[in-house]
Amino acid sequence: MTYADFCQFCGSFIQHILEMRIVRADGMADRYSILIRLDSQDSTDKFYKHFNGSRFSSLEDEVCRVLFTVDVHYTGSVGHTQASPASSAEQPTCPVCLERLDQDMSGILTTICNHSFHCSCISNWTDSSCPVCRYCQQQPEKSICNVCQTSENLWMCVICGFVGCGRYKEGHAIRHWKETQHCYSLELETKRVWDYAGDNYVHRLIQSKTDGKLVELNSHCLHANDGHELCEGVDFGFTEALLNSKVEAIVNEYNELLTNQLENQKLYFESLLQEVKEETEREISSAVEKAVTLKLQKLQAKLDRCLKEKNILNDLNENLLKNKEIWKEKINQIEEREKKAVKAKDDKIKQLEEQLQDLMAYLETGKTMEPLSVSDSDKIKDGTVLPISIESSSKTRRATKANK
């Protein structure tokens, strides 16, 4: 957390805070304690209840732990800013707003480097360094190789900032040069620049304008009291001309170096763009092939499903046709049986009608014979009844009906 982050964290109590001091925790990296003096015991109790056990951020699990402090002793060279009485010397000023550091007007925050500011002023300072001395509370991390994580014999590419180990380790720095053609690398331990293409150090050697030879930039020269640079055994005019030629050679070499590097970078990034373009085209073609294949697979699956349904419907239709024939045959059989039954019924009815006619004829004959006299009955007593056929009986009945 920066100073501004902590001031924002305890912003609800910032008007009750008289003084804050950042104290480094011994033996713990990036761990600090903050001594806070508030205006009253009630504010202190509320501050304790509000912040003790609460999380610094919703993204972190670490919580704030608040302890009551009875007394604070300053030892050594650590200074302490106290509220000066009216009769004392003038109070110090805030380096940001140049106003007096008055605790009654605003809280005072003292950094690790013993510089004091108003809390409202330091809240606008978003950097983790001190606004006065630029001391950073976050110590820089130790450089390591980006590939093998080693911290020895490291070289940093001056073009893209890649950190790799030297050729006497895993050789990731020279491998980076072979892959990217970034030929200049800085040795982090000695701060010297190495040229992989020329296979030498380039920051110590320049081309002389007089004879075109490579000379060492840091020559053994003596500095006079008047500020001019004089070399041993060489007059001042020659030294000045040599210095001018060296400076001009350095400028020319630097311009040429920039031109070459820019050209190399142009070619390198053009190759990267070409690779990206080709990769994009391959991905597009692959995506199109996949999409077409997927579409064909879906269509084939749909076709198979339709064919399956068609086969099922054909089987169903065939079964229905078979059932139709079966039922048609059954219906014909039933109709035949019905015809036979009707015919038998008609025959039966006809027989019954004939029997009924015979019965009626018999009854009518009986009624006709009742009125006969006894004499007639005596006459026919010894007579014989002859059978009459059905046709003659029916004719007789019809004749009787007609007479009536």
Short mmCIF file of all heavy atoms in Angstrom, two decimals, residues 360-361 363-365 367-368 396-404:
data_model
loop_
_atom_site.label_atom_id
_atom_site.label_comp_id
_atom_site.label_asym_id
_atom_site.label_seq_id
_atom_site.Cartn_x
_atom_site.Cartn_y
_atom_site.Cartn_z
N MET A 360 -102.90 -72.05 -40.29
CA MET A 360 -104.07 -71.22 -40.50
C MET A 360 -105.12 -71.96 -41.34
O MET A 360 -106.32 -71.88 -41.07
CB MET A 360 -103.64 -69.91 -41.22
CG MET A 360 -102.78 -69.00 -40.35
SD MET A 360 -103.65 -68.39 -38.90
CE MET A 360 -104.91 -67.38 -39.69
N ALA A 361 -104.63 -72.68 -42.33
CA ALA A 361 -105.58 -73.43 -43.16
C ALA A 361 -106.26 -74.52 -42.33
O ALA A 361 -107.47 -74.76 -42.47
CB ALA A 361 -104.81 -74.06 -44.34
N LEU A 363 -106.75 -74.37 -39.12
CA LEU A 363 -107.69 -73.74 -38.21
C LEU A 363 -108.96 -73.32 -38.95
O LEU A 363 -110.09 -73.44 -38.44
CB LEU A 363 -107.04 -72.53 -37.53
CG LEU A 363 -105.89 -72.86 -36.57
CD1 LEU A 363 -105.28 -71.57 -36.05
CD2 LEU A 363 -106.42 -73.70 -35.40
N GLU A 364 -108.81 -72.79 -40.14
CA GLU A 364 -109.98 -72.37 -40.90
C GLU A 364 -110.83 -73.59 -41.29
O GLU A 364 -112.06 -73.53 -41.29
CB GLU A 364 -109.52 -71.62 -42.16
CG GLU A 364 -108.94 -70.27 -41.86
CD GLU A 364 -108.42 -69.59 -43.11
OE1 GLU A 364 -108.49 -70.21 -44.20
OE2 GLU A 364 -107.92 -68.43 -43.01
N THR A 365 -110.14 -74.64 -41.64
CA THR A 365 -110.90 -75.84 -41.98
C THR A 365 -111.69 -76.35 -40.77
O THR A 365 -112.82 -76.80 -40.88
CB THR A 365 -109.93 -76.93 -42.47
OG1 THR A 365 -109.19 -76.41 -43.57
CG2 THR A 365 -110.66 -78.18 -42.91
N LYS A 367 -112.84 -74.51 -38.31
CA LYS A 367 -113.98 -73.62 -38.08
C LYS A 367 -115.10 -73.88 -39.09
O LYS A 367 -116.28 -73.74 -38.81
CB LYS A 367 -113.53 -72.16 -38.18
CG LYS A 367 -112.66 -71.74 -37.02
CD LYS A 367 -112.27 -70.28 -37.17
CE LYS A 367 -111.40 -69.84 -36.03
NZ LYS A 367 -111.03 -68.44 -36.17
N THR A 368 -114.75 -74.27 -40.26
CA THR A 368 -115.75 -74.51 -41.29
C THR A 368 -116.51 -75.81 -40.99
O THR A 368 -117.72 -75.95 -41.23
CB THR A 368 -115.07 -74.61 -42.66
OG1 THR A 368 -114.32 -73.42 -42.87
CG2 THR A 368 -116.11 -74.76 -43.78
N THR A 396 -106.77 -73.01 -52.29
CA THR A 396 -108.07 -73.05 -51.65
C THR A 396 -108.25 -71.87 -50.71
O THR A 396 -109.29 -71.24 -50.66
CB THR A 396 -108.25 -74.37 -50.88
OG1 THR A 396 -108.03 -75.45 -51.80
CG2 THR A 396 -109.63 -74.49 -50.27
N ARG A 397 -107.14 -71.53 -49.97
CA ARG A 397 -107.22 -70.39 -49.02
C ARG A 397 -107.43 -69.11 -49.76
O ARG A 397 -108.18 -68.24 -49.35
CB ARG A 397 -105.92 -70.36 -48.13
CG ARG A 397 -106.03 -69.30 -47.06
CD ARG A 397 -104.84 -69.40 -46.10
NE ARG A 397 -103.59 -69.09 -46.82
CZ ARG A 397 -102.72 -70.03 -47.11
NH1 ARG A 397 -102.95 -71.30 -46.80
NH2 ARG A 397 -101.59 -69.69 -47.73
N ARG A 398 -106.71 -68.95 -50.86
CA ARG A 398 -106.87 -67.72 -51.63
C ARG A 398 -108.30 -67.65 -52.22
O ARG A 398 -108.90 -66.56 -52.27
CB ARG A 398 -105.82 -67.66 -52.74
CG ARG A 398 -104.43 -67.33 -52.21
CD ARG A 398 -103.51 -66.90 -53.33
NE ARG A 398 -103.29 -68.02 -54.28
CZ ARG A 398 -102.28 -68.87 -54.21
NH1 ARG A 398 -101.43 -68.78 -53.21
NH2 ARG A 398 -102.13 -69.82 -55.09
N ALA A 399 -108.75 -68.79 -52.65
CA ALA A 399 -110.13 -68.77 -53.18
C ALA A 399 -111.14 -68.42 -52.11
O ALA A 399 -112.10 -67.69 -52.32
CB ALA A 399 -110.49 -70.15 -53.81
N THR A 400 -110.91 -68.91 -50.92
CA THR A 400 -111.83 -68.62 -49.81
C THR A 400 -111.78 -67.13 -49.51
O THR A 400 -112.80 -66.50 -49.28
CB THR A 400 -111.39 -69.43 -48.58
OG1 THR A 400 -111.37 -70.79 -48.93
CG2 THR A 400 -112.35 -69.18 -47.43
N LYS A 401 -110.55 -66.55 -49.48
CA LYS A 401 -110.41 -65.12 -49.23
C LYS A 401 -111.09 -64.29 -50.29
O LYS A 401 -111.74 -63.28 -50.06
CB LYS A 401 -108.95 -64.73 -49.11
CG LYS A 401 -108.29 -65.28 -47.84
CD LYS A 401 -106.84 -64.80 -47.81
CE LYS A 401 -106.15 -65.33 -46.55
NZ LYS A 401 -104.77 -64.93 -46.47
N ALA A 402 -110.98 -64.79 -51.55
CA ALA A 402 -111.61 -64.05 -52.63
C ALA A 402 -113.13 -64.09 -52.51
O ALA A 402 -113.80 -63.10 -52.80
CB ALA A 402 -111.14 -64.66 -53.99
N ASN A 403 -113.66 -65.24 -52.08
CA ASN A 403 -115.13 -65.33 -51.92
C ASN A 403 -115.60 -64.42 -50.85
O ASN A 403 -116.70 -63.87 -50.91
CB ASN A 403 -115.51 -66.78 -51.65
CG ASN A 403 -115.24 -67.67 -52.90
OD1 ASN A 403 -115.34 -67.18 -54.04
ND2 ASN A 403 -114.99 -68.95 -52.69
N LYS A 404 -114.84 -64.32 -49.82
CA LYS A 404 -115.22 -63.42 -48.74
C LYS A 404 -115.23 -61.98 -49.21
O LYS A 404 -116.02 -61.20 -48.79
CB LYS A 404 -114.24 -63.57 -47.55
CG LYS A 404 -114.39 -64.92 -46.83
CD LYS A 404 -113.45 -65.00 -45.70
CE LYS A 404 -113.59 -66.34 -44.97
NZ LYS A 404 -112.69 -66.44 -43.84
#
